Coordinates of all heavy atoms in Angstrom, one line a residue:
L8 N 71.5 60.1 116.6 CA 70.9 61.5 116.3 C 71.7 62.6 117.1 O 71.7 63.8 116.6 CB 69.4 61.6 116.5 CG 68.6 60.7 115.6 CD1 67.2 60.8 116.0 CD2 68.7 61.2 114.2
L9 N 72.2 62.2 118.2 CA 72.9 63.3 119.0 C 74.2 63.8 118.2 O 74.4 65.0 118.2 CB 73.4 62.7 120.4 CG 72.2 62.4 121.3 CD1 72.7 61.8 122.7 CD2 71.4 63.7 121.6
S10 N 74.8 62.9 117.5 CA 76.0 63.5 116.8 C 75.6 64.4 115.7 O 76.2 65.3 115.3 CB 76.7 62.2 116.2 OG 76.0 61.6 115.2
K11 N 74.4 64.1 115.1 CA 73.9 65.0 114.0 C 73.5 66.4 114.6 O 73.6 67.5 113.9 CB 72.7 64.3 113.3 CG 73.1 63.1 112.7 CD 73.3 63.2 111.2 CE 73.4 61.7 110.6 NZ 74.7 61.3 110.6
G12 N 72.9 66.3 115.8 CA 72.5 67.6 116.5 C 73.6 68.6 116.7 O 73.5 69.7 116.8
R13 N 74.8 68.0 116.8 CA 76.0 68.8 117.0 C 76.3 69.9 115.8 O 76.6 70.9 116.0 CB 77.3 67.9 117.2 CG 78.4 68.6 117.6 CD 79.6 67.6 117.9 NE 80.7 67.9 117.1 CZ 81.4 67.2 116.4 NH1 81.3 66.0 116.5 NH2 82.6 67.6 115.8
Y14 N 76.0 69.3 114.6 CA 76.1 70.1 113.4 C 75.1 71.2 113.4 O 75.4 72.3 113.0 CB 76.1 69.3 112.1 CG 77.2 68.3 112.0 CD1 77.1 67.0 112.2 CD2 78.5 68.8 111.8 CE1 78.1 66.0 112.1 CE2 79.6 68.0 111.7 CZ 79.4 66.5 111.9 OH 80.5 65.8 111.8
L15 N 73.9 70.9 113.8 CA 72.8 71.9 113.8 C 73.1 73.0 114.9 O 73.1 74.2 114.6 CB 71.5 71.2 114.1 CG 70.3 72.2 114.2 CD1 70.1 72.9 112.9 CD2 69.0 71.4 114.6
A16 N 73.6 72.5 116.0 CA 74.0 73.5 117.1 C 75.1 74.3 116.7 O 75.1 75.6 117.1 CB 74.4 72.6 118.3
A17 N 76.0 73.8 115.9 CA 77.2 74.8 115.5 C 76.7 75.9 114.5 O 77.1 77.0 114.6 CB 78.1 73.8 114.6
Q18 N 75.7 75.5 113.8 CA 75.1 76.5 112.8 C 74.4 77.6 113.6 O 74.4 78.8 113.4 CB 74.2 75.9 111.8 CG 75.0 75.0 110.8 CD 74.0 74.2 109.9 OE1 72.8 74.6 109.8 NE2 74.5 73.3 109.3
I19 N 73.6 77.1 114.6 CA 72.7 78.0 115.4 C 73.6 78.9 116.2 O 73.4 80.1 116.3 CB 71.8 77.3 116.2 CG1 70.7 76.7 115.4 CG2 71.1 78.2 117.3 CD1 69.7 75.7 116.0
L20 N 74.7 78.3 116.8 CA 75.6 79.2 117.6 C 76.3 80.3 116.7 O 76.5 81.4 117.2 CB 76.6 78.2 118.3 CG 76.1 77.4 119.3 CD1 77.2 76.4 119.9 CD2 75.6 78.2 120.5
A21 N 76.7 79.9 115.5 CA 77.3 80.9 114.6 C 76.3 82.0 114.2 O 76.7 83.1 114.2 CB 77.8 80.2 113.3
L22 N 75.1 81.7 114.1 CA 74.1 82.8 113.8 C 73.8 83.6 114.9 O 73.6 84.9 114.8 CB 72.8 82.0 113.3 CG 72.8 81.6 111.9 CD1 71.4 80.8 111.6 CD2 72.9 82.7 110.9
L23 N 73.9 83.0 116.1 CA 73.6 83.9 117.3 C 74.8 84.7 117.7 O 74.6 85.8 118.2 CB 73.3 83.0 118.6 CG 71.9 82.2 118.4 CD1 71.7 81.4 119.5 CD2 70.8 83.2 118.2
K24 N 76.1 84.3 117.4 CA 77.2 85.1 117.8 C 77.2 86.4 117.0 O 77.2 86.5 115.8 CB 78.5 84.3 117.4 CG 79.7 84.8 117.8 CD 81.0 84.1 117.6 CE 82.3 84.8 118.0 NZ 83.4 84.1 117.7
D25 N 77.5 87.4 117.8 CA 77.5 88.8 117.4 C 76.3 89.2 116.5 O 76.4 90.0 115.6 CB 78.9 89.0 116.5 CG 80.0 88.8 117.3 OD1 80.0 89.1 118.5 OD2 81.0 88.2 116.8
D26 N 75.1 88.6 116.9 CA 73.8 89.0 116.1 C 73.9 88.8 114.6 O 73.4 89.7 113.9 CB 73.4 90.4 116.4 CG 72.9 90.4 117.8 OD1 72.4 89.4 118.4 OD2 72.8 91.5 118.5
L27 N 74.7 87.8 114.1 CA 74.8 87.6 112.7 C 73.5 87.4 112.1 O 73.2 87.9 110.9 CB 75.7 86.3 112.4 CG 75.8 85.9 111.0 CD1 76.5 87.1 110.1 CD2 76.6 84.6 110.9
W28 N 72.5 86.7 112.7 CA 71.1 86.5 112.2 C 70.4 87.9 112.0 O 69.7 88.0 111.0 CB 70.3 85.6 113.1 CG 70.0 86.3 114.4 CD1 70.7 86.4 115.5 CD2 68.9 87.1 114.6 NE1 70.1 87.1 116.5 CE2 68.9 87.6 115.9 CE3 67.7 87.4 113.9 CZ2 67.9 88.4 116.5 CZ3 66.8 88.3 114.4 CH2 66.8 88.7 115.8
L29 N 70.8 88.8 112.8 CA 70.1 90.1 112.8 C 70.7 90.9 111.6 O 69.9 91.5 110.8 CB 70.3 90.9 114.0 CG 69.5 92.1 114.1 CD1 68.0 91.9 114.0 CD2 69.6 92.8 115.5
S30 N 72.0 90.9 111.4 CA 72.6 91.5 110.3 C 72.2 90.9 108.9 O 72.0 91.6 107.9 CB 74.1 91.7 110.4 OG 74.6 90.4 110.4
N31 N 72.0 89.6 108.9 CA 71.6 88.9 107.6 C 70.2 89.3 107.3 O 69.9 89.6 106.1 CB 71.7 87.4 107.9 CG 73.1 86.9 107.8 OD1 74.1 87.6 107.5 ND2 73.3 85.6 108.1
A32 N 69.4 89.3 108.3 CA 67.9 89.7 108.1 C 67.8 91.1 107.6 O 67.0 91.5 106.8 CB 67.1 89.5 109.4
A33 N 68.6 92.0 108.2 CA 68.6 93.4 107.9 C 69.1 93.6 106.4 O 68.4 94.4 105.7 CB 69.5 94.2 108.8
A34 N 70.0 92.9 106.0 CA 70.5 92.9 104.5 C 69.4 92.5 103.6 O 69.1 93.1 102.6 CB 71.8 92.1 104.4
A35 N 68.8 91.4 103.8 CA 67.7 90.9 103.0 C 66.5 91.9 103.0 O 65.9 92.2 101.9 CB 67.2 89.5 103.5
N36 N 66.1 92.4 104.2 CA 65.0 93.3 104.2 C 65.3 94.6 103.5 O 64.4 95.2 102.9 CB 64.5 93.5 105.7 CG 64.0 92.3 106.4 OD1 63.8 91.3 105.7 ND2 64.0 92.4 107.7
A37 N 66.5 95.1 103.7 CA 66.9 96.3 103.0 C 66.9 96.1 101.4 O 66.4 97.1 100.7 CB 68.3 96.8 103.4
G38 N 67.3 95.0 100.9 CA 67.2 94.7 99.5 C 65.8 94.6 99.0 O 65.4 95.2 98.0
A39 N 64.9 94.1 99.9 CA 63.4 94.1 99.5 C 63.0 95.5 99.4 O 62.1 95.8 98.5 CB 62.7 93.2 100.5
Q40 N 63.3 96.4 100.4 CA 62.8 97.7 100.3 C 63.3 98.5 99.1 O 62.6 99.3 98.5 CB 63.3 98.5 101.6 CG 62.6 98.1 102.8 CD 61.1 98.5 102.8 OE1 60.6 99.4 102.2 NE2 60.4 97.7 103.5
T41 N 64.5 98.2 98.6 CA 65.0 98.7 97.4 C 64.2 98.3 96.2 O 63.8 99.1 95.4 CB 66.5 98.4 97.1 OG1 67.3 98.8 98.2 CG2 67.1 98.8 95.9
L42 N 63.7 97.1 96.1 CA 62.9 96.7 95.0 C 61.5 97.2 95.2 O 61.0 97.7 94.2 CB 62.8 95.1 95.1 CG 64.0 94.3 94.8 CD1 63.7 92.8 94.8 CD2 64.7 94.7 93.6
A43 N 61.0 97.3 96.4 CA 59.8 98.0 96.6 C 59.6 99.4 96.1 O 58.7 99.8 95.4 CB 59.3 97.9 98.0
C44 N 60.7 100.2 96.4 CA 60.8 101.6 95.9 C 60.8 101.6 94.4 O 60.2 102.6 93.8 CB 62.0 102.2 96.5 SG 61.9 102.5 98.3
A45 N 61.4 100.7 93.8 CA 61.5 100.7 92.3 C 60.2 100.4 91.7 O 59.9 100.8 90.5 CB 62.6 99.7 91.9
L46 N 59.3 99.7 92.4 CA 58.1 99.2 91.8 C 57.0 100.2 91.8 O 56.1 100.2 91.0 CB 57.6 97.9 92.6 CG 58.4 96.7 92.3 CD1 58.0 95.6 93.4 CD2 58.0 96.2 90.9
G47 N 57.0 101.2 92.7 CA 56.0 102.2 92.8 C 54.6 101.7 93.0 O 54.4 100.9 93.9
D48 N 53.7 102.0 92.1 CA 52.2 101.6 92.2 C 52.0 100.1 91.9 O 51.0 99.6 92.1 CB 51.4 102.3 91.2 CG 51.3 103.8 91.6 OD1 51.5 104.1 92.8 OD2 51.0 104.6 90.8
R49 N 53.1 99.4 91.4 CA 53.0 98.0 91.2 C 53.0 97.1 92.4 O 52.7 96.0 92.4 CB 54.0 97.5 90.2 CG 54.0 98.0 88.8 CD 55.3 97.6 88.1 NE 55.4 98.2 86.7 CZ 54.8 97.5 85.7 NH1 54.2 96.3 85.9 NH2 54.9 98.0 84.5
L50 N 53.5 97.7 93.5 CA 53.5 97.0 94.7 C 52.1 96.4 95.3 O 51.2 97.3 95.4 CB 54.2 97.9 95.8 CG 54.7 97.2 97.1 CD1 55.8 96.2 96.8 CD2 55.2 98.2 98.0
L51 N 52.0 95.3 95.6 CA 50.7 94.6 96.0 C 50.4 94.8 97.4 O 49.4 95.1 98.0 CB 50.5 93.2 95.6 CG 50.4 92.9 94.1 CD1 50.4 91.5 93.8 CD2 49.1 93.7 93.6
Y52 N 51.5 94.6 98.3 CA 51.4 94.6 99.7 C 52.6 95.4 100.3 O 53.7 95.4 99.8 CB 51.3 93.2 100.3 CG 50.5 92.3 99.6 CD1 50.9 91.3 98.7 CD2 49.1 92.5 99.8 CE1 50.0 90.4 98.1 CE2 48.1 91.6 99.2 CZ 48.6 90.6 98.4 OH 47.7 89.7 97.7
P53 N 52.3 95.9 101.5 CA 53.5 96.5 102.3 C 54.7 95.5 102.4 O 54.4 94.4 102.7 CB 52.9 97.0 103.6 CG 51.5 97.0 103.4 CD 51.1 96.0 102.4
V54 N 55.9 96.0 102.3 CA 57.1 95.0 102.5 C 57.4 95.1 103.9 O 57.8 96.1 104.5 CB 58.1 95.5 101.6 CG1 59.4 94.7 101.8 CG2 57.7 95.4 100.1
E55 N 57.3 94.0 104.5 CA 57.6 93.8 106.0 C 58.8 92.9 106.2 O 59.2 92.6 107.4 CB 56.3 93.4 106.7 CG 55.3 94.4 106.6 CD 53.9 93.9 107.3 OE1 53.9 92.7 107.6 OE2 53.1 94.8 107.6
A56 N 59.3 92.3 105.1 CA 60.4 91.2 105.3 C 61.2 91.3 104.0 O 61.3 92.3 103.3 CB 59.8 89.9 105.7
N57 N 61.6 90.1 103.6 CA 62.5 90.0 102.4 C 61.8 89.6 101.2 O 62.3 89.2 100.2 CB 63.6 89.1 102.7 CG 63.3 87.6 102.8 OD1 62.2 87.3 103.4 ND2 64.1 86.6 102.4
E58 N 60.3 89.5 101.2 CA 59.5 89.1 100.1 C 58.7 90.4 99.6 O 58.2 91.2 100.3 CB 58.6 88.1 100.4 CG 59.3 86.8 100.8 CD 58.3 85.7 101.1 OE1 57.1 86.0 101.2 OE2 58.7 84.4 101.1
V59 N 58.7 90.5 98.2 CA 58.0 91.6 97.6 C 57.0 91.1 96.6 O 57.4 90.3 95.7 CB 59.1 92.5 96.9 CG1 58.3 93.7 96.2 CG2 60.1 93.0 97.9
F60 N 55.9 91.5 96.7 CA 54.7 91.0 95.8 C 54.4 92.2 94.8 O 54.1 93.3 95.3 CB 53.6 90.5 96.5 CG 53.9 89.4 97.4 CD1 54.2 89.5 98.7 CD2 53.6 88.1 97.0 CE1 54.6 88.3 99.5 CE2 53.9 87.0 97.7 CZ 54.4 87.1 99.0
A61 N 54.3 91.9 93.5 CA 54.0 93.0 92.6 C 53.2 92.6 91.4 O 53.1 91.4 91.2 CB 55.4 93.5 92.0
T62 N 52.6 93.5 90.8 CA 51.8 93.3 89.6 C 52.8 93.4 88.3 O 53.4 94.5 88.2 CB 50.7 94.3 89.5 OG1 49.8 94.3 90.6 CG2 49.9 94.0 88.3
V63 N 52.9 92.4 87.6 CA 53.7 92.4 86.4 C 53.0 91.7 85.3 O 52.6 90.4 85.6 CB 55.0 91.8 86.7 CG1 55.9 91.7 85.5 CG2 55.8 92.5 87.8
S64 N 53.0 92.2 84.2 CA 52.2 91.4 83.0 C 53.2 90.2 82.5 O 54.3 90.2 82.9 CB 52.0 92.4 81.9 OG 53.2 92.7 81.2
V65 N 52.5 89.3 81.8 CA 53.2 88.2 81.3 C 54.4 88.6 80.5 O 55.5 88.2 80.5 CB 52.3 87.3 80.5 CG1 53.0 86.2 79.8 CG2 51.2 86.8 81.4
D66 N 54.2 89.7 79.6 CA 55.2 90.2 78.7 C 56.4 90.8 79.5 O 57.5 90.6 79.2 CB 54.7 91.2 77.7 CG 53.8 90.5 76.7 OD1 54.0 89.3 76.5 OD2 53.0 91.2 76.1
E67 N 56.1 91.5 80.5 CA 57.1 92.2 81.4 C 57.9 91.1 82.2 O 59.1 91.3 82.3 CB 56.4 93.1 82.3 CG 55.8 94.4 81.6 CD 54.9 95.2 82.6 OE1 54.3 94.6 83.6 OE2 54.9 96.4 82.3
A68 N 57.2 90.1 82.6 CA 57.9 89.0 83.4 C 58.9 88.4 82.3 O 60.0 88.1 82.7 CB 56.9 88.0 83.8
A69 N 58.4 88.2 81.1 CA 59.2 87.6 80.1 C 60.5 88.4 79.8 O 61.6 87.9 79.7 CB 58.5 87.3 78.9
T70 N 60.3 89.7 79.7 CA 61.4 90.6 79.6 C 62.5 90.5 80.6 O 63.6 90.5 80.5 CB 60.9 92.1 79.4 OG1 60.0 92.1 78.3 CG2 62.0 93.0 79.2
L71 N 61.9 90.5 81.9 CA 62.8 90.4 83.1 C 63.5 89.1 83.1 O 64.8 89.1 83.4 CB 62.0 90.5 84.3 CG 61.4 91.9 84.7 CD1 60.5 91.9 85.9 CD2 62.5 93.0 84.9
R72 N 62.9 88.1 82.8 CA 63.6 86.7 82.8 C 64.6 86.6 81.6 O 65.6 86.1 81.8 CB 62.5 85.7 82.6 CG 61.7 85.4 84.0 CD 60.9 84.2 83.8 NE 60.4 84.0 85.1 CZ 59.1 84.1 85.5 NH1 58.2 84.5 84.6 NH2 58.6 83.8 86.6
A73 N 64.3 87.3 80.5 CA 65.3 87.3 79.4 C 66.6 88.0 79.8 O 67.5 87.8 79.3 CB 64.6 87.9 78.1
A74 N 66.3 89.0 80.7 CA 67.5 89.8 81.2 C 68.3 89.1 82.3 O 69.3 89.5 82.8 CB 66.9 91.2 81.7
G75 N 67.8 87.8 82.6 CA 68.5 87.1 83.6 C 68.0 87.1 84.9 O 68.7 86.5 85.8
F76 N 66.9 87.7 85.2 CA 66.4 87.8 86.5 C 65.5 86.6 86.7 O 64.7 86.2 85.9 CB 65.7 89.1 86.8 CG 66.5 90.3 86.6 CD1 66.4 91.2 85.5 CD2 67.6 90.5 87.5 CE1 67.2 92.2 85.3 CE2 68.4 91.6 87.2 CZ 68.2 92.5 86.2
D77 N 65.5 86.0 87.9 CA 64.7 84.9 88.4 C 63.7 85.3 89.5 O 64.1 85.9 90.5 CB 65.5 83.8 88.8 CG 64.8 82.4 89.0 OD1 63.8 82.2 88.3 OD2 65.3 81.5 89.7
F78 N 62.5 84.8 89.4 CA 61.5 85.2 90.4 C 60.4 84.2 90.2 O 60.3 83.4 89.3 CB 61.0 86.6 90.3 CG 60.6 87.0 89.0 CD1 59.3 86.9 88.5 CD2 61.4 87.5 88.0 CE1 58.8 87.2 87.3 CE2 61.2 87.9 86.7 CZ 59.8 87.7 86.4
Y79 N 59.4 84.3 91.1 CA 58.2 83.3 91.2 C 57.0 84.0 90.7 O 56.6 85.1 91.0 CB 58.0 82.8 92.6 CG 59.1 82.3 93.3 CD1 60.0 83.0 94.0 CD2 59.4 80.9 93.2 CE1 61.1 82.4 94.7 CE2 60.5 80.4 93.8 CZ 61.3 81.2 94.6 OH 62.4 80.6 95.2
D80 N 56.2 83.2 89.8 CA 54.8 83.6 89.5 C 54.0 83.3 90.7 O 54.0 82.2 91.2 CB 54.4 82.9 88.2 CG 55.2 83.2 87.0 OD1 55.5 84.4 86.8 OD2 55.6 82.3 86.2
W81 N 53.2 84.3 91.1 CA 52.4 84.1 92.3 C 50.9 83.8 91.9 O 50.4 82.8 92.4 CB 52.5 85.3 93.1 CG 52.1 85.1 94.6 CD1 51.0 85.6 95.1 CD2 52.7 84.2 95.6 NE1 50.8 85.1 96.4 CE2 51.9 84.4 96.7 CE3 53.8 83.4 95.5 CZ2 52.2 83.6 97.9 CZ3 54.1 82.7 96.8 CH2 53.3 82.9 97.9
A82 N 50.4 84.6 91.1 CA 49.0 84.4 90.7 C 48.9 85.1 89.3 O 49.9 85.6 88.8 CB 48.0 85.2 91.7
A83 N 47.8 85.2 88.7 CA 47.6 85.8 87.4 C 48.0 87.2 87.5 O 47.4 88.0 88.2 CB 46.2 85.6 86.9
G84 N 49.1 87.6 86.7 CA 49.5 89.0 86.8 C 50.2 89.4 88.0 O 50.5 90.6 88.2
E85 N 50.6 88.4 88.9 CA 51.3 88.8 90.1 C 52.5 88.0 90.2 O 52.6 86.8 89.8 CB 50.5 88.6 91.3 CG 49.2 89.4 91.4 CD 48.3 89.1 92.6 OE1 48.7 88.3 93.4 OE2 47.3 89.6 92.7
V86 N 53.6 88.6 90.7 CA 54.9 87.8 90.9 C 55.4 88.0 92.5 O 54.9 89.0 93.2 CB 55.9 88.3 89.9 CG1 55.6 87.9 88.6 CG2 56.2 89.8 90.0
R87 N 56.3 87.2 92.8 CA 57.0 87.4 94.1 C 58.4 87.3 94.0 O 59.0 86.6 93.3 CB 56.5 86.2 95.0 CG 57.2 86.2 96.4 CD 56.7 85.1 97.3 NE 57.4 83.9 96.8 CZ 57.7 82.9 97.6 NH1 57.5 82.9 98.8 NH2 58.4 81.9 97.1
F88 N 59.0 88.4 94.5 CA 60.5 88.5 94.6 C 61.0 88.2 95.9 O 60.4 88.8 96.9 CB 60.9 89.9 94.1 CG 60.3 90.4 92.8 CD1 59.6 91.6 92.8 CD2 60.5 89.7 91.7 CE1 59.0 92.0 91.6 CE2 60.0 90.2 90.5 CZ 59.2 91.3 90.4
V89 N 62.0 87.5 96.0 CA 62.5 87.1 97.4 C 64.1 87.5 97.4 O 64.9 87.1 96.5 CB 62.4 85.6 97.7 CG1 63.1 85.4 99.0 CG2 61.0 85.2 97.6
V90 N 64.4 88.3 98.3 CA 65.8 88.9 98.4 C 66.5 88.0 99.5 O 66.1 87.8 100.6 CB 65.9 90.3 98.7 CG1 67.3 90.8 98.8 CG2 65.0 91.2 97.7
S91 N 67.7 87.5 99.1 CA 68.5 86.7 100.1 C 69.5 87.6 100.8 O 69.8 88.7 100.4 CB 69.3 85.7 99.3 OG 70.1 85.0 100.1
W92 N 69.9 87.2 102.0 CA 70.8 87.9 102.9 C 72.1 88.2 102.2 O 72.8 89.1 102.5 CB 70.9 87.2 104.2 CG 71.5 85.8 104.1 CD1 70.8 84.6 103.9 CD2 72.8 85.5 104.0 NE1 71.7 83.7 103.8 CE2 73.1 84.0 103.9 CE3 74.1 86.2 104.2 CZ2 74.2 83.4 103.9 CZ3 75.3 85.5 104.1 CH2 75.3 84.2 104.0
D93 N 72.5 87.3 101.3 CA 73.8 87.3 100.7 C 73.9 87.9 99.2 O 74.8 87.7 98.5 CB 74.5 86.0 100.7 CG 73.8 84.9 100.0 OD1 72.6 85.1 99.5 OD2 74.4 83.8 99.7
Q94 N 72.8 88.4 98.8 CA 72.8 89.0 97.4 C 73.5 90.3 97.5 O 73.3 91.2 98.2 CB 71.3 89.2 96.9 CG 70.6 87.9 96.5 CD 69.3 88.2 95.9 OE1 68.4 88.7 96.6 NE2 69.0 87.8 94.8
P95 N 74.4 90.4 96.4 CA 75.2 91.6 96.3 C 74.3 92.9 96.0 O 73.3 92.8 95.2 CB 76.2 91.4 95.1 CG 76.2 89.9 94.9 CD 74.9 89.5 95.4
A96 N 74.7 94.0 96.6 CA 73.9 95.2 96.5 C 73.9 95.5 94.9 O 72.8 96.2 94.5 CB 74.5 96.3 97.3
A97 N 74.9 95.4 94.3 CA 75.0 95.8 92.8 C 73.8 94.9 92.0 O 73.3 95.5 91.2 CB 76.2 95.4 92.2
D98 N 73.7 93.7 92.4 CA 72.7 92.8 91.8 C 71.3 93.3 92.1 O 70.5 93.4 91.2 CB 72.8 91.3 92.1 CG 74.1 90.7 91.6 OD1 74.8 91.4 90.8 OD2 74.4 89.6 92.0
I99 N 71.1 93.7 93.3 CA 69.8 94.2 93.6 C 69.5 95.5 93.0 O 68.4 95.8 92.5 CB 69.7 94.4 95.2 CG1 69.8 93.0 95.9 CG2 68.4 95.0 95.6 CD1 69.9 93.0 97.4
A100 N 70.4 96.3 92.9 CA 70.4 97.7 92.2 C 69.9 97.5 90.8 O 69.1 98.2 90.2 CB 71.6 98.5 92.4
A101 N 70.7 96.5 90.1 CA 70.4 96.2 88.6 C 69.0 95.7 88.5 O 68.3 96.1 87.6 CB 71.3 95.2 88.1
F102 N 68.5 94.8 89.4 CA 67.1 94.4 89.3 C 66.1 95.6 89.6 O 65.1 95.7 88.9 CB 66.9 93.2 90.3 CG 65.7 92.5 90.1 CD1 65.1 92.3 88.8 CD2 64.9 92.0 91.1 CE1 63.9 91.6 88.7 CE2 63.8 91.3 91.0 CZ 63.1 91.1 89.7
A103 N 66.4 96.3 90.5 CA 65.6 97.5 90.8 C 65.5 98.4 89.6 O 64.4 99.0 89.3 CB 66.1 98.3 92.1
A104 N 66.6 98.7 88.8 CA 66.7 99.5 87.8 C 65.8 98.9 86.6 O 65.0 99.6 85.9 CB 68.0 99.7 87.2
A105 N 65.8 97.6 86.5 CA 65.0 96.9 85.4 C 63.6 97.0 85.9 O 62.7 97.2 84.9 CB 65.4 95.4 85.4
L106 N 63.2 96.8 87.1 CA 61.9 97.0 87.5 C 61.3 98.4 87.2 O 60.2 98.6 86.8 CB 61.6 96.6 89.0 CG 61.9 95.1 89.3 CD1 61.9 95.0 90.8 CD2 60.8 94.3 88.7
A107 N 62.1 99.4 87.6 CA 61.7 100.7 87.4 C 61.5 101.2 86.0 O 60.7 101.9 85.7 CB 62.8 101.7 88.0
A108 N 62.2 100.4 85.1 CA 62.1 100.6 83.6 C 60.9 100.0 83.0 O 60.6 100.3 81.8 CB 63.4 100.2 82.9
L109 N 60.2 99.2 83.7 CA 59.0 98.5 83.1 C 57.9 99.5 82.8 O 57.7 100.4 83.4 CB 58.5 97.4 84.1 CG 59.3 96.2 84.4 CD1 58.7 95.4 85.4 CD2 59.6 95.5 83.1

């Protein structure tokens, strides 16, 4: 197991070097804020990380999925959007525009 721990340590060291983990988290959180701003009153909870919870009807969810967007059904009439640290800003902006158009 010690040899396997070496691979884990290499990943952790890379994340800690030059605060890479912090810039990755900041990118994901900024993307989530972009989506939250596009949602307006549909936002269910304050956005404090890279997850956004919103009210979306079944038909609206189907429209978003048909446009190629992927997200999680959370509860009846509720969805969860998760923004990754490596998602291109253009993709986030396109999704935000689609959300604002609902």
Side-chain angles (χ1 to χ4, degrees):
L8 291 177
L9 290 177
S10 65
K11 305 256 188 266
R13 186 173 133 225
Y14 294 111
L15 181 59
Q18 293 173 15
I19 291 173
L20 290 173
L22 282 171
L23 293 175
K24 185 177 180 184
D25 299 325
D26 287 333
L27 178 61
W28 70 273
L29 190 57
S30 62
N31 287 351
N36 294 349
Q40 287 296 331
T41 299
L42 297 183
C44 290
L46 285 165
D48 292 341
R49 294 174 180 270
L50 194 63
L51 289 173
Y52 308 108
V54 177
E55 298 176 344
N57 67 325
E58 296 183 348
V59 180
F60 296 86
T62 303
V63 176
S64 73
V65 173
D66 291 337
E67 291 168 332
T70 300
L71 291 171
R72 287 189 172 107
F76 300 111
D77 191 25
F78 52 90
Y79 303 94
D80 293 319
W81 194 249
E85 297 178 5
V86 294
R87 178 179 72 149
F88 308 121
V89 180
V90 180
S91 176
W92 60 271
D93 63 345
Q94 283 184 300
D98 292 352
I99 295 170
F102 191 35
L106 292 173
L109 291 178

